[in-house]
């Protein structure tokens, strides 16, 4: 029998320190596996621009216009969306015949995020002495000052009333922690035999829902202090279309099928124990529109300008859909990009490699089914201060 994985269980306190998308520029890195997010974000740009049009402009302001991307990760997507936001706001100033202010962009994520790779992707700063027309045409330069802000967006990150636009995409479904009862053998919510809540018991799903709503409440409370009264916020996170929280939709297919089976393979082959598998849970919750709306309304600080479920499409981007091996590799890389750091910490690098090889093998065998069925839906929310 092969040796059991002997790494310690990742505690909830360690999650914030560890959680990050896969850094660097390797095959499984976020930088090379975030094309689907880019496609989904592009399809929502019209909704983002509607949010930006609600921001109240001030003529002759002497302080910078501040944009913050929360959960920025380490790829080029965050840079692209900040560029869209700032160029749109510059055009709004131009349409009014007003001189635009300076712009600042803060890229925020957990301290474990690969900020080095992100900042290497930043284009050079344009000369602020040039005209607005030159700034708008400077595709190879950025027209804003940039800085990183490490920390959890479920708490305060920035000074009070300092931010004009908050943007967060594909991040709020990540919980601040796995609910403690989910890994407690004495609890009715104990998620025995599973590494995700898809198909789990009602108590387990309710524990995840409660954690999501607690986290979102913390997020909104922090933003209600940091955002300017005339500002706006654009949020995107994973959604489910079922009223049943144990049916996690696309997230369920991603984490609750071949990924789950690969963990079971390791148990059956004696590479890890059942307890080792059962003590690992993906801290993700795909919320319903009602889950989200309840928190915003309970917070009371924000008016809901738009709240809808948006079909994002498949998380798999492949050049040759008929190549089953490419589909299998794409699924394994997609999961590894977002959860690989946690898996590595839980069972070690070598067993993690074995796990994702099994994911790839299983996904290759089910390639056609994955391409047909794996679809993501997103909650899209546009919020401003309640009058």
């Amino acid at each position: 029998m092969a040796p059991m994985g002997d790494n310690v269980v990742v505690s909830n306190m360690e999650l914030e320190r560890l959680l990050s998308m896969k850094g660097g520029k390797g095959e499984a890195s976020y930088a090379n596996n975030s094309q689907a997010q880019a496609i989904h974000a592009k399809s929502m740009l019209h909704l983002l621009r509607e949010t930006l049009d609600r921001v109240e402009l001030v003529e002759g302001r002497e302080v910078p216009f501040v944009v913050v991307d929360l959960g920025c990760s380490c790829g080029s997507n965050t840079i692209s969306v900040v560029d869209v936001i700032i160029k749109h706001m510059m055009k709004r100033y131009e349409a009014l015949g007003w001189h635009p202010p300076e712009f600042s962009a803060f890229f925020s994520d957990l301290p474990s995020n690969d900020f080095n790779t992100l900042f290497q992707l930043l284009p050079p700063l344009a000369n602020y002495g040039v005209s607005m027309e030159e700034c708008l045409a400077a595709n190879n330069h950025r027209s804003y000052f940039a800085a990183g802000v490490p920390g959890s967006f479920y708490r305060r990150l920035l000074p009070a009333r300092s931010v004009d636009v908050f943007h967060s995409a594909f991040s709020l479904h990540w919980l601040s922690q796995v609910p403690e009862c989910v890994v407690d053998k004495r609890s009715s919510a104990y998620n025995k035999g599973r590494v995700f809540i898809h198909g789990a018991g009602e108590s387990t799903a309710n524990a995840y829902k409660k954690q999501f709503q607690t986290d979102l409440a913390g997020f909104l409370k922090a933003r209600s202090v940091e955002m300017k009264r005339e500002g706006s916020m654009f949020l995107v996170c994973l959604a489910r279309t079922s009223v049943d929280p144990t049916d996690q939709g696309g997230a369920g297919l991603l984490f609750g099928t071949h990924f789950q089976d690969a963990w079971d393979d390791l148990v059956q082959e004696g590479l890890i124990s059942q307890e080792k598998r059962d003590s690992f849970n993906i801290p993700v919750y795909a919320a319903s529109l009602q889950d989200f709306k309840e928190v915003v309304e309970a917070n009371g600080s924000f008016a809901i300008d738009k709240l809808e479920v948006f079909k994002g499409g498949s998380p798999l981007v492949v050049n040759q859909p008929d190549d089953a091996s490419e589909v299998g590799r794409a699924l394994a890389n997609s999961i590894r990009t977002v959860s690989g750091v946690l898996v590595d910490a839980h069972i070690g690098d070598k067993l993690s490699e074995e796990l994702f090889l099994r994911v790839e093998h299983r996904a290759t065998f089910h390639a056609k089914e994955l391409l047909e069925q794996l679809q993501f839906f997103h909650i899209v929310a546009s919020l401003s201060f309640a009058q």
Side-chain angles (χ1 to χ4, degrees):
M1 180 179 287
M4 297 283 187
D6 57 358
N7 290 64
V8 296
V9 175
V10 175
S11 71
N12 292 335
M13 293 186 67
E14 288 181 301
L15 184 60
E16 184 177 319
R17 180 178 62 82
L18 286 170
L19 180 61
S20 67
M21 302 301 100
K22 194 79 170 179
K25 298 178 182 178
E27 182 183 355
S29 68
Y30 184 83
N32 287 326
N33 288 277
S34 52
Q35 300 94 326
Q37 289 92 327
I39 294 169
H40 298 181
K42 188 174 182 180
S43 68
M44 301 177 204
L45 285 181
H46 63 292
L47 299 175
L48 171 60
R49 291 188 175 105
E50 287 177 10
T51 299
L52 297 177
D53 286 339
R54 295 188 187 97
V55 178
E56 297 178 29
L57 301 187
V58 178
E59 186 177 11
R61 62 187 288 165
E62 297 180 354
V63 295
F65 188 100
V66 175
V67 177
V68 178
D69 190 27
L70 298 167
C72 63
S73 194
C74 54
S76 60
N77 292 346
T78 182
I79 297 169
S80 298
V81 76
V82 165
D83 192 59
V84 166
I85 292 170
I86 290 176
K87 286 187 175 180
H88 185 85
M89 298 312 299
M90 290 182 77
K91 287 178 180 178
R92 284 193 60 198
Y93 276 99
E94 181 183 40
L96 292 170
W98 294 352
H99 186 73
E102 293 185 332
F103 289 86
S104 292
F106 292 103
F107 298 91
S108 181
D109 213 316
L110 294 174
S112 48
N113 184 56
D114 186 0
F115 284 102
N116 286 338
T117 292
L118 173 60
F119 291 147
Q120 287 169 10
L121 295 171
L122 274 175
L125 181 66
N127 183 352
Y128 255 98
V130 301
S131 68
M132 183 186 300
E133 290 76 14
E134 289 175 300
C135 270
L136 291 172
N139 290 326
N140 296 322
H141 290 74
R142 58 185 163 91
S143 52
Y144 57 89
F145 297 100
V149 180
S152 169
F153 55 33
Y154 294 126
R155 297 192 296 272
R156 283 283 305 278
L157 291 166
L158 295 151
R161 301 289 174 256
S162 64
V163 179
D164 294 277
V165 173
F166 276 112
H167 174 275
S168 181
F170 318 122
S171 298
L172 277 167
H173 47 262
W174 285 98
L175 306 178
S176 66
Q177 64 176 59
V178 173
E180 292 181 5
C181 58
V182 169
V183 291
D184 182 354
K185 294 180 181 180
R186 301 164 298 177
S187 170
S188 62
Y190 181 48
N191 200 23
K192 182 175 176 58
R194 291 185 175 86
V195 296
F196 189 48
I197 61 163
H198 187 69
E202 183 180 353
S203 296
T204 308
N206 286 337
Y208 264 72
K209 174 184 174 180
K210 182 180 179 181
Q211 186 65 54
F212 170 81
Q213 293 191 315
T214 299
D215 287 342
L216 182 58
F219 177 93
L220 293 176
K221 183 179 179 181
R223 305 296 85 76
S224 71
V225 176
E226 296 166 344
M227 195 168 84
K228 293 182 179 178
R229 300 300 305 181
E230 64 272 15
S232 274
M233 185 157 46
F234 185 77
L235 309 175
V236 180
C237 64
L238 278 180
R240 69 174 193 276
T241 55
S242 170
V243 295
D244 180 4
T246 67
D247 180 0
Q248 287 283 291
L253 283 175
L254 193 68
F255 294 121
T257 54
H258 306 306
F259 184 62
Q260 174 69 59
D261 292 340
W263 282 90
D264 295 342
D265 288 344
L266 295 188
V267 171
Q268 291 165 10
E269 295 167 29
L271 296 174
I272 62 172
S273 65
Q274 290 184 17
E275 290 75 18
K276 194 69 177 175
R277 175 198 59 198
D278 296 348
S279 60
F280 181 87
N281 284 269
I282 292 289
V284 164
Y285 180 77
S288 69
L289 215 55
Q290 187 63 27
D291 293 340
F292 196 99
K293 185 178 181 182
E294 286 173 1
V295 182
V296 179
E297 291 179 342
N299 172 270
S301 297
F302 297 100
I304 298 174
D305 300 314
K306 185 177 287 290
L307 182 62
E308 63 181 61
V309 172
F310 189 90
K311 185 177 181 180
S314 174
L316 302 180
V317 178
V318 292
N319 295 320
Q320 297 178 314
D322 294 332
D323 185 346
S325 62
E326 184 183 354
V327 175
R329 189 162 54 252
L331 182 83
N333 283 340
S334 293
I335 300 173
R336 193 168 197 171
T337 295
V338 299
S339 69
V341 170
L342 297 180
V343 175
D344 291 353
H346 192 73
I347 59 176
D349 295 354
K350 290 183 179 179
L351 285 175
S352 178
E353 185 69 30
E354 292 290 333
L355 177 80
F356 286 107
L357 283 173
R358 284 158 177 75
V359 173
E360 181 176 341
H361 174 75
R362 286 179 170 278
T364 298
F365 187 74
H366 295 278
K368 184 179 179 181
E369 173 189 332
L370 281 168
L371 289 176
E372 292 173 351
Q373 298 181 8
L374 186 52
Q375 298 288 321
F376 276 178
F377 288 84
H378 304 288
I379 289 175
V380 179
S382 177
L383 308 178
S384 57
F385 272 114
Q387 297 300 318

